[in-house]
């Protein structure tokens, strides 16, 4: 999944979902491996929606 994410084949959210990790855990895994996180406007909006729904 990491390779697919690096090649922009799947999103951060999709990769973390497929691996079965929370998005933040996956981001830490990427950071620990020195992999740049691609975070675009759509993912930001998805995060905002999740935060609003969780209160």
């Amino acid at each position: 999944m990491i390779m697919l994410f690096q090649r922009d084949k799947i999103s951060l959210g999709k990769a973390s979902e497929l691996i079965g990790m929370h998005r933040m855990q996956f981001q830490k895994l990427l950071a620990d491996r020195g992999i740049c996180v691609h975070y675009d406007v759509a993912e930001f909006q998805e995060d905002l929606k999740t935060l609003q729904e969780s209160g």
Side-chain angles (χ1 to χ4, degrees), residues 30-48:
L30 294 173
D32 290 346
R33 294 180 180 206
I35 299 169
C36 181
V37 175
H38 312 279
Y39 193 75
D40 62 14
V41 173
E43 288 173 323
F44 174 72
Q45 290 172 334
E46 186 178 325
D47 284 346
L48 282 178

Side-chain angles (χ1 to χ4, degrees), residues 1-2 8-9 15 21 25 28 34 36-37 39-40 52:
M1 294 306 140
I2 292 175
D8 290 324
K9 301 294 182 188
M21 298 177 99
Q25 291 172 312
K28 179 166 180 355
C36 181
V37 175
Y39 193 75
D40 62 14
Q52 289 170 342

Side-chain angles (χ1 to χ4, degrees), residues 14-25:
K14 189 63 172 176
S16 61
E17 177 185 323
L18 292 172
I19 289 175
M21 298 177 99
H22 186 274
R23 186 178 301 175
M24 294 305 291
Q25 291 172 312

